[in-house]
Amino acid sequence: MNSHLSKVPCRVNDLYSDLRDGYVITKLLEVLSGEQLPKPTRGRMRIHSLENVDKALQFLKEQRVHLENVGSHDIVDGNHRLTLGLVWTIILRFQIQVIKIETEDNRETRSAKDALLLWCQMKTAGYPEVNILNFTTSWRDGLAFSALIHRHRPDLIDFSRLAKSNATYNLQRAFNTAEQQLGLIKLLDPEDVNTENPDEKSIITYVVSFYHYFSKMKALAVEGKRIGKVLDQAIETEKDINRYQILASELLEWIKRTISIITNQKFANSLLGVQQQLQAFTTYCTTEKPCKFQEKGNLEVLLFTIQSKMREEKRKLYVPSEGKNISDINKAWTQLEKAEHEREVALRNELIRQEKLELLSQRFDQKAAMREAWLNENQRLVSQDNFGYDLSAVEAAMKKHEAIEADISSYEERIQVVADLAQEMETEGYYDICRITAQKDNILRQWNLLKELLNARRARLERNLALQNIFQEMVYMIDWMDEMQVTLSSKDFGKHLLEVEDLLQKHSLLEADIAAQTERVNSLNRSAMKFTQYSDYQPCDPQIICNRVEHVKNCLEGLRQLAEKRRGELEESKRLWCFLQEVEEAEGWIREKEQIIAALQNYGKDLSSVLRLLSKHKILVREIGGRFSMLQQTLQKGEQVITKRRKGMSGLRQRMQEVKQKWENLEKASSAHQLKLQEASNFHQFNADTVELAGWLQDTYRLISSDDFGHDEFSTQSLVKKHRAAMEEIEKHRATVLGLRKQLSELGAEYRDQVDVQITIVEVEQLYGEVVEVASLRSQWLQDALDVYKMFGEVNSCEVWIDEKEQWLVKMEIPQRLEDVEVVQHR
């Protein structure tokens, strides 16, 4: 694009950004087409750029250029793929599609790429090692470009000296010659062509410039030169045969000798030596070999000339002697090129290796010098012990030391880089490895020494910091103990029990805090005393440490004694207030129970109610008994308080006497109430027993006054047994009936004089007498009935026996035999 835009004041620096405004595309199309396009719109806004690009695209459509999927917004947005596609479309339309070549055989007309390819094949026909089949790999070795130039301008390039193996040189020579001698812009670099997959469009674009240039040369001059060359060859035919034999022998001998030399050379173990060897090899490739290659080409041309002349003259073709044919020379030359390639690859690899080793050596020397200077400076730095004499100074020194450690730790990778470089050079067999190893060992030794110094300095600094922290903690502890002494010296012992308990709870917390701080103080003292035992390094005078430890111990001991004293005073205050509260509670409990007993004037209407009241009273008695032990403990506490606090305790002793008197009154009221309940219980129990006895007597009277005396001996016998049991029960109740008067006399006065009770006793005694009398009569009647029934039974038995014997005698027959008669007689 720049080669065409050079005709106008315009240039492209960035393909994707410079084409966005549409101005460059418009100018390029004007130059290529020779037509005037619409004037671009001025302005830098996106809408202006889109309008300019649309004008250019519209012109291409008018030229019947097919643009697939390319829009103005794609170019304005800098779409790489579509921008390159547009440029290629322009090249294809205005540079390539104009090419048309007509073949001589069938007059077929070809266009575009095929026509250009045919033209290249026609122009390079006959050139050795040149076979153009495409616009990619056929141009890699540079011979095709050189052949195009040589075909039209032989004076510019000596094609015979070019080697297929030296592709970069061939390409560079052809491109420079085309640019300097022919004025063709250098569109490609050697590395763009000499790749595995060259870009076809790029090569086509460049070759098109050759086509347009050489098409302008006159064909007549070329044809005249060609005829003159044919005439010269016809004259020199005979001389050339002899010259061919000599040159072929010399060339084959040189190839054999050169292969032997190339394959037997060894590499020097230094960069300078390898460079000299490579220089010698390069000199051979650029000076000696091109001459021989030219000789080889000349031989081919010479043989071809000789055979052409003979063919034209219809003579027998000349055939070189055995081993000197072109195929033999080419075979030997191929072996030479193979050996050259292997030698060149090996030399360049060795050169790369030596250059790498030299660079590694330079890097190592540079880095080693820097590392040694750095190590010396840091060794000097960490050897200083300017830590300070207080916590802030030591902490600042510790932060500074940590920064030094971080810096040194981060530097370890750089030290390792030096070691790795030395190891790599040793692995690669560097010739001055002894010096490198010695310098590396020295750096590693200094590095280890620096780390030892750093660790030792950290240990010393940590001791200083630990000691200063302990001193600071001691200061904090002393301040805390001073504050605690003020709190423990308070004379506030509480104005009531809750307040005393709150003070005791707070005091317990203080004691727990003191205990915890005691362990902390002991730990601090032990930690501080450890610093007096170090023999290698002591951050402070041991006597100063001992003095501070002793001072902290004394302060702590005084604080503990003060805490014990205040606890004793608070405990004494608590006992006093506990006693007063318990006394007050006891008095309240006594008043409550006295009120309960005074309210219980009902002693029950029957036995069950009296028993319930007795049960409740027993519960009350148990409560009184349980409370008595608590009262005794309370009174003992009072005695202890009076014993320990003799002053002002007269009112306390009077209070104790009042409580004792109230307790005695409560016990008397409880005993009197229990006696009343017991008398009521005895009375109701006597009534219940009397009523129960009267009911039993009435039931027994009904039983013994029954008219049933049995209907036979068995039933009468059963009635006799039951009556006998009833008689026994009646006899057992005799003592109970006789004891009713005694029980009545044992009742309370208010119960035994009641008329109803006395009448009930009289009725029971009379009923018992009647029961006894009726029972005796019934006993006699039952015995008479039993005797009658026994007599009737015996009579019935006699009658049954008489009937049985009578029937047997009637039915008996006199046997005929004597033995049977005896049996019957026996029966």
Side-chain angles (χ1 to χ4, degrees):
M1 289 178 67
N2 287 328
S3 67
H4 293 283
L5 291 172
S6 61
K7 301 174 183 179
V8 294
C10 185
R11 182 174 178 81
V12 177
N13 294 317
D14 189 309
L15 187 64
Y16 305 114
S17 61
D18 292 348
L19 299 186
R20 291 184 176 184
D21 57 1
Y23 179 83
V24 175
I25 299 177
T26 303
K27 290 298 180 182
L28 178 63
L29 292 176
E30 288 179 350
V31 172
L32 291 175
S33 64
E35 298 181 13
Q36 187 69 28
L37 272 71
K39 189 175 181 180
T41 304
R42 294 189 177 185
R44 296 187 177 182
M45 296 178 64
R46 177 179 174 85
I47 187 65
H48 300 145
S49 300
L50 290 172
E51 185 177 355
N52 292 335
V53 174
D54 277 332
K55 292 177 182 179
L57 297 181
Q58 184 62 33
F59 173 77
L60 290 175
K61 291 180 181 179
E62 294 173 359
Q63 297 293 323
R64 295 183 180 180
V65 176
H66 177 64
L67 298 174
E68 184 177 359
N69 296 329
V70 178
S72 58
H73 62 280
D74 298 319
I75 308 303
V76 173
D77 293 338
N79 188 302
H80 291 192
R81 183 177 64 83
L82 296 179
T83 300
L84 292 174
L86 176 62
V87 174
W88 170 246
T89 302
I90 296 173
I91 294 172
L92 188 63
R93 169 62 180 84
F94 295 99
Q95 292 291 103
I96 299 175
Q97 288 184 357
V98 297
I99 301 173
K100 294 184 182 294
I101 303 295
E102 293 183 357
T103 58
E104 296 179 357
D105 51 352
N106 54 7
R107 311 297 293 177
E108 181 185 354
T109 300
R110 302 185 183 184
S111 61
K113 185 172 72 173
D114 293 339
L116 183 62
L117 181 63
L118 178 60
W119 178 81
C120 294
Q121 292 172 347
M122 293 170 59
K123 294 300 180 182
T124 58
Y127 280 84
E129 304 294 334
V130 177
N131 185 16
I132 300 176
L133 301 176
N134 51 48
F135 284 106
T136 55
T137 56
S138 297
W139 303 82
R140 286 185 58 183
D141 54 8
L143 295 179
F145 290 103
S146 301
L148 284 176
I149 297 173
H150 184 270
R151 173 57 62 92
H152 298 88
R153 293 289 301 275
D155 57 318
L156 298 180
I157 292 180
D158 188 357
F159 188 85
S160 62
R161 292 181 176 274
L162 300 179
K164 184 178 180 67
S165 60
N166 199 356
T168 303
Y169 172 81
N170 298 337
L171 292 167
Q172 189 67 44
R173 179 71 179 276
F175 295 164
N176 292 337
T177 301
E179 185 178 25
Q180 297 169 6
Q181 301 298 331
L182 304 180
L184 299 178
I185 300 300
K186 187 178 179 181
L187 302 182
L188 299 175
D189 291 324
E191 54 268 26
D192 298 330
V193 182
N194 188 16
T195 62
E196 291 292 332
N197 296 304
D199 183 65
E200 183 183 49
K201 295 179 180 179
S202 300
I203 295 177
I204 290 175
T205 304
Y206 193 31
V207 172
V208 165
S209 63
F210 283 86
Y211 169 81
H212 288 292
Y213 179 84
F214 290 130
S215 296
K216 298 178 182 181
M217 296 181 65
K218 295 182 180 181
L220 293 178
V222 176
E223 291 297 330
K225 292 180 181 180
R226 186 177 300 168
I227 293 172
K229 192 177 296 184
V230 171
L231 293 174
D232 292 340
Q233 290 176 355
I235 296 171
E236 297 294 331
T237 300
E238 293 298 329
K239 295 180 180 180
D240 289 342
I241 292 175
N242 294 329
R243 190 156 53 94
Y244 176 84
Q245 290 288 345
I246 296 171
L247 292 176
S249 299
E250 291 176 354
L251 182 59
L252 288 171
E253 182 62 27
W254 177 85
I255 291 174
K256 182 178 179 182
R257 185 174 63 254
T258 303
I259 291 174
S260 177
I261 294 173
I262 289 176
T263 54
N264 293 328
Q265 284 184 344
K266 295 183 178 180
F267 300 123
N269 189 19
S270 65
L271 177 61
L272 181 60
V274 175
Q275 287 176 342
Q276 291 174 353
Q277 288 179 333
L278 183 60
Q279 182 63 34
F281 182 77
T282 305
T283 302
Y284 152 77
C285 292
T286 57
T287 304
E288 185 177 359
K289 182 186 175 184
C291 295
K292 296 301 179 180
F293 181 76
Q294 186 176 3
E295 291 179 7
K296 173 178 170 295
N298 292 336
L299 280 174
E300 294 177 358
V301 174
L302 183 58
L303 180 59
F304 177 76
T305 304
I306 294 170
Q307 291 178 347
S308 297
K309 289 179 181 181
M310 290 182 172
R311 190 178 291 110
E312 291 176 359
E313 296 173 0
K314 297 182 181 181
R315 293 167 55 187
K316 184 180 179 180
L317 294 180
Y318 167 71
V319 178
S321 59
E322 185 178 357
K324 296 181 180 180
N325 205 339
I326 293 299
S327 60
D328 298 326
I329 295 173
N330 287 334
K331 183 177 180 182
W333 190 266
T334 301
Q335 295 177 355
L336 174 63
E337 288 185 337
K338 181 179 179 183
E340 287 175 355
H341 177 71
E342 293 176 353
R343 178 64 177 176
E344 182 181 8
V345 171
L347 273 173
R348 292 194 180 278
N349 290 336
E350 182 64 20
L351 178 64
I352 292 172
R353 192 179 74 86
Q354 291 294 338
E355 288 177 345
K356 179 182 176 182
L357 288 175
E358 194 64 30
L359 288 175
L360 289 176
S361 176
Q362 294 175 4
R363 287 180 59 196
F364 178 84
D365 293 339
Q366 180 183 4
K367 292 182 181 297
M370 294 172 60
R371 304 302 180 263
E372 288 175 347
W374 184 86
L375 288 170
N376 292 330
E377 177 63 23
N378 280 272
Q379 287 177 6
R380 183 190 62 77
L381 181 62
V382 300
S383 300
Q384 301 174 1
D385 286 352
N386 48 349
F387 301 145
Y389 301 99
D390 56 10
L391 180 59
S392 60
V394 176
E395 287 179 344
M398 175 58 79
K399 292 182 178 179
K400 183 178 179 182
H401 183 81
E402 290 174 351
I404 295 173
E405 282 185 331
D407 183 40
I408 292 175
S409 176
S410 65
Y411 210 81
E412 184 173 4
E413 294 182 359
R414 303 183 182 182
I415 299 296
Q416 188 61 37
V417 168
V418 175
D420 293 341
L421 287 174
Q423 181 63 36
E424 185 176 358
M425 286 189 286
E426 183 178 1
T427 303
E428 294 292 334
Y430 184 60
Y431 71 96
D432 197 12
I433 192 62
C434 295
R435 178 185 65 82
I436 299 295
T437 303
Q439 197 168 4
K440 177 201 71 174
D441 294 340
N442 181 47
I443 291 174
L444 292 178
R445 186 166 53 255
Q446 291 185 8
W447 172 254
N448 293 329
L449 177 60
L450 176 61
K451 291 196 291 186
E452 292 175 359
L453 293 174
L454 187 67
N455 293 333
R457 189 175 190 271
R458 169 171 273 280
R460 297 193 298 273
L461 189 56
E462 287 178 348
R463 287 188 187 179
N464 272 276
L465 182 61
L467 181 60
Q468 293 299 329
N469 282 324
I470 291 174
F471 285 168
Q472 186 66 38
E473 290 292 329
M474 287 181 175
V475 172
Y476 293 155
M477 292 303 303
I478 291 173
D479 294 341
W480 176 80
M481 286 187 282
D482 292 341
E483 294 177 359
M484 293 297 293
Q485 285 181 356
V486 174
T487 303
L488 294 175
S489 300
S490 173
K491 298 301 181 181
D492 182 14
F493 303 116
K495 298 178 181 179
H496 49 77
L497 180 60
L498 290 178
E499 186 175 356
V500 174
E501 289 179 346
D502 183 61
L503 290 174
L504 271 173
Q505 187 174 5
K506 292 180 180 179
H507 187 75
S508 298
L509 294 176
L510 293 177
E511 287 180 333
D513 197 8
I514 292 173
Q517 297 299 333
T518 300
E519 181 61 29
R520 184 179 176 188
V521 168
N522 294 333
S523 177
L524 286 174
N525 290 340
R526 289 193 298 270
S527 300
M529 294 304 295
K530 289 181 180 178
F531 288 92
T532 62
Q533 301 173 1
Y534 294 127
S535 59
D536 54 348
Y537 174 76
Q538 291 183 346
C540 180
D541 186 3
Q543 187 59 42
I544 295 176
I545 299 175
C546 294
N547 293 339
R548 293 196 180 190
V549 168
E550 189 64 28
H551 178 63
V552 172
K553 284 183 179 179
N554 295 335
C555 291
L556 182 63
E557 184 61 29
L559 185 65
R560 280 202 295 263
Q561 292 176 0
L562 189 60
E564 291 177 357
K565 178 181 177 182
R566 177 162 177 79
R567 173 165 281 281
E569 293 172 345
L570 288 174
E571 291 288 348
E572 185 64 28
S573 178
K574 180 181 179 181
R575 282 193 291 271
L576 174 61
W577 289 107
C578 282
F579 168 73
L580 293 176
Q581 181 175 351
E582 290 177 359
V583 167
E584 185 177 352
E585 291 177 355
E587 290 176 344
W589 189 86
I590 291 171
R591 284 194 300 273
E592 179 184 356
K593 299 306 177 184
E594 286 178 344
Q595 293 173 0
I596 291 173
I597 293 173
L600 294 175
Q601 298 301 325
N602 180 20
Y603 301 109
K605 298 178 180 180
D606 51 20
L607 180 61
S608 60
S609 62
V610 173
L611 292 176
R612 283 197 300 271
L613 292 174
L614 273 174
S615 176
K616 291 181 180 179
H617 188 74
K618 288 180 181 179
I619 294 173
L620 177 63
V621 171
R622 285 197 296 271
E623 289 182 3
I624 293 172
R627 192 70 183 185
F628 180 73
S629 61
M630 295 173 62
L631 180 63
Q632 290 295 107
Q633 294 176 1
T634 301
L635 294 176
Q636 290 177 1
K637 290 179 182 179
E639 291 293 338
Q640 293 175 359
V641 172
I642 292 172
T643 302
K644 291 184 178 181
R645 300 177 64 174
R646 298 182 181 277
K647 296 181 179 180
M649 293 292 105
S650 58
L652 189 63
R653 184 171 294 281
Q654 182 179 357
R655 186 77 177 275
M656 291 171 60
Q657 293 297 330
E658 292 176 355
V659 170
K660 289 181 181 179
Q661 185 62 42
K662 291 180 180 180
W663 184 264
E664 291 176 356
N665 296 336
L666 176 63
E667 287 182 338
K668 291 179 180 178
S670 174
S671 299
H673 185 68
Q674 184 175 4
L675 180 61
K676 292 290 185 180
L677 287 174
Q678 190 64 44
E679 290 178 352
S681 174
N682 293 336
F683 170 70
H684 290 297
Q685 184 66 43
F686 174 77
N687 280 340
D689 293 343
T690 304
V691 171
E692 182 180 359
L693 180 60
W696 179 83
L697 290 173
Q698 290 174 359
D699 294 338
T700 304
Y701 183 80
R702 286 193 297 271
L703 180 63
I704 61 178
S705 60
S706 175
D707 296 335
D708 183 15
F709 299 106
H711 55 278
D712 54 17
E713 183 181 0
F714 178 77
S715 59
T716 302
Q717 186 71 32
S718 176
L719 291 173
V720 169
K721 289 181 179 180
K722 291 180 179 180
H723 186 74
R724 228 177 255 151
M727 290 291 291
E728 292 176 358
E729 287 294 325
I730 293 170
E731 189 62 28
K732 288 180 180 180
H733 284 79
R734 181 181 295 278
T736 303
V737 173
L738 295 177
L740 289 176
R741 295 288 180 178
K742 183 178 180 181
Q743 292 181 10
L744 179 63
S745 64
E746 292 175 356
L747 296 177
E750 58 181 325
Y751 298 110
R752 62 174 175 262
D753 296 334
Q754 292 183 7
V755 177
D756 295 340
V757 176
Q758 295 179 358
I759 293 173
T760 302
I761 292 174
V762 172
E763 289 178 351
V764 170
E765 289 176 345
Q766 292 176 356
L767 182 58
Y768 182 76
E770 293 176 0
V771 168
V772 170
E773 184 179 357
V774 172
S776 299
L777 292 175
R778 181 171 174 77
S779 177
Q780 185 62 43
W781 294 339
L782 286 173
Q783 187 62 40
D784 292 343
L786 181 61
D787 293 339
V788 171
Y789 287 128
K790 285 182 178 180
M791 181 193 67
F792 288 160
E794 292 176 358
V795 171
N796 289 334
S797 298
C798 288
E799 288 179 348
V800 170
W801 184 85
I802 292 172
D803 290 340
E804 180 182 353
K805 298 306 179 183
E806 185 178 0
Q807 291 176 4
W808 183 78
L809 290 174
V810 171
K811 294 178 180 180
M812 183 185 66
E813 294 180 358
I814 304 298
Q816 298 300 324
R817 296 173 58 190
L818 178 59
E819 294 84 354
D820 296 335
V821 172
E822 290 178 355
V823 172
V824 172
Q825 185 178 6
H826 178 70
R827 290 179 179 176

